[in-house]
Amino acid sequence: MPDLLLNNIARHITLTPEEQQIVLNAFSMESIKAKTVAIQPGDEAHFTYFVLKGVLRSYTIDDNGTAHILSFATPGWWVADMYSYLTAKPAILYVDVIEDCEVLILQKKDSERLFQEVPKLERFFRILTENNLIANQQRILDKMALSAEERYEKFLDKHAGIVNCLPQKYIASFIGVTPEFFSKMKATMLRRK
């Protein structure tokens, strides 16, 4: 399974076999059961997960108790409370497990050591950060310019492999509508087909 991590890295940089081993040694592996809250606000979440198996989601809960999903993480994706990871302050997000998962965990202190031992990893993580910034910007623009149906279609394109394992209320939250509106919208879309 660590091959998934090395393949993810190889999409952007080339590591020697020795560098690959240094990288693998920096991570620890953990299995987490479904319905587990892996990170919650206030936690010292100075680490990032690389998903080997399963599905996680990151989200926040507003003052009315409504969850707002920021992302889903599936095999080959990274997920963290980036605020806690980068600032060494307590987490502000929830990350929970939707489907039993196996993750590789990289502590912030270990990433700093990795950057010293394998400097090209800084380039890799810069590329990940840039891609994340682009995706977040596009999501904001989509929220402003696209209809709920169009946002749902984009969601289906991007997350086709996990749609069937997600509760409908999670998809509704991700595209920014209530579960009731989402149900009516889907029914309308089906009638049109």
Side-chain angles (χ1 to χ4, degrees), residues 39-42 57-71 80-81 91-96 139 170 173-174:
I39 300 172
Q40 61 187 345
R57 70 175 172 145
S58 66
Y59 61 101
T60 186
I61 299 177
D62 67 21
D63 292 340
N64 297 321
T66 303
H68 301 276
I69 297 176
L70 301 173
S71 67
D81 180 310
I92 58 174
L93 295 178
Y94 292 88
V95 174
D96 68 9
R139 189 154 173 225
Y170 289 2
S173 173
F174 185 84

Side-chain angles (χ1 to χ4, degrees), residues 13 20 22 27 50 52 54 62 83 89 105 126-127 131-132 137 142-143 147 155 158-159 169 179 181 185 192:
I13 62 171
Q20 289 177 0
I22 291 169
F27 285 81
F50 179 77
L52 297 172
D62 67 21
Y83 176 80
K89 293 181 180 175
I105 302 168
R126 177 185 52 79
I127 292 168
N131 289 343
N132 188 38
Q137 177 179 300
D142 289 350
K143 180 81 172 166
S147 69
F155 176 84
K158 185 173 183 181
H159 297 288
K169 66 182 181 178
F181 179 88
M185 180 188 79
R192 280 198 302 248

